[in-house]
Amino acid sequence: MILLQISAAQGPDECALAVRKALERLIHEADELGVMADILEEESGRRSHTLRSVMVAIQGENEQQFFERWDGTIKWICASPWRKGDGRKNWFIGVAQFKPLQQIMESAIRFETLRASGPGGQHVNKTESAIRAVHIASGISVKVQSARSQHANRRLACLLLEHRLQQQQNMHQAQLKAERRLFHNQIERGNPVRTFVGMQFSPQI
């Protein structure tokens, strides 16, 4: 399993729109390659239907190959939907892997099972497969229901707790943001690993 983050960095609203479009493209390509892509966290942008950042868990036989396809700077060529007459058309976002600096012993976590919530219909999991995990020492808790089995959600919850604890440690060290945000100021504006074009976010050949 690989945890990756797509970030708009310090970019404008157009970059936040590019993050949402990149997420949609990533999920589509993961499905084509037979890789599971589960959204763990989202940070909404200032405008509707935009995302400042999103964390995704990808897993499957081809997960490393899939990640390498996305790892780095992503360039989006498209006229802004909000800046009429503005000549700028190039927007950059970043994709990076999140690597936990620590692993939590499961004995330090309290797990609770509960029924997955969400819209009704045939796709809702009727069993108690959702997991709430609480780190006993700190009281930090997360809820994960993206997978269809308790085992998978339990594993994702542990990873997400590690991420939250790392955020807390970084804040205690007087860092402005946690590690998953540190690369925001490091996105390279050149040498993109992939380029997409237009509102359809089509890959540039």
Side-chain angles (χ1 to χ4, degrees), residues 49-66:
H49 305 297
T50 63
L51 292 170
R52 296 303 308 172
S53 69
V54 60
M55 181 172 286
V56 183
I58 58 174
Q59 55 184 323
E61 183 178 348
N62 300 310
E63 63 184 38
Q64 186 61 38
Q65 172 190 347
F66 179 77

Side-chain angles (χ1 to χ4, degrees), residues 113-129:
T113 59
L114 55 157
R115 181 164 295 181
S117 60
Q122 61 179 346
H123 299 298
V124 173
N125 195 337
K126 304 300 183 184
T127 62
E128 292 189 343
S129 62

Side-chain angles (χ1 to χ4, degrees), residues 53-177:
S53 69
V54 60
M55 181 172 286
V56 183
I58 58 174
Q59 55 184 323
E61 183 178 348
N62 300 310
E63 63 184 38
Q64 186 61 38
Q65 172 190 347
F66 179 77
F67 171 70
E68 290 173 357
R69 179 189 297 180
W70 284 90
D71 183 24
T73 297
I74 304 297
K75 180 180 179 180
W76 180 37
I77 304 174
C78 186
S80 171
W82 303 299
R83 309 186 198 200
K84 303 304 181 183
D86 192 307
R88 181 176 176 182
K89 294 184 178 180
N90 295 330
W91 317 100
F92 296 90
I93 61 174
V95 178
Q97 182 176 4
F98 167 71
K99 297 180 179 179
L101 297 179
Q102 60 179 319
Q103 290 188 336
I104 309 172
M105 298 293 293
E106 288 205 6
S107 59
I109 304 173
R110 183 176 73 251
F111 294 98
E112 303 170 4
T113 59
L114 55 157
R115 181 164 295 181
S117 60
Q122 61 179 346
H123 299 298
V124 173
N125 195 337
K126 304 300 183 184
T127 62
E128 292 189 343
S129 62
I131 293 291
R132 177 179 289 114
V134 181
H135 184 244
I136 298 170
S138 66
I140 295 174
S141 67
V142 298
K143 176 184 175 183
V144 176
Q145 61 179 39
S146 55
R148 290 186 175 273
S149 72
Q150 282 188 17
H151 178 75
N153 282 330
R154 187 182 178 107
R155 184 182 181 194
L156 289 171
C158 288
L159 288 169
L160 197 52
L161 269 180
E162 289 167 1
H163 172 58
R164 293 282 179 83
L165 284 170
Q166 186 173 323
Q167 283 184 308
Q168 185 182 70
Q169 287 180 354
N170 287 343
M171 291 176 66
H172 288 167
Q173 294 167 3
Q175 296 182 10
L176 293 178
K177 300 294 179 181

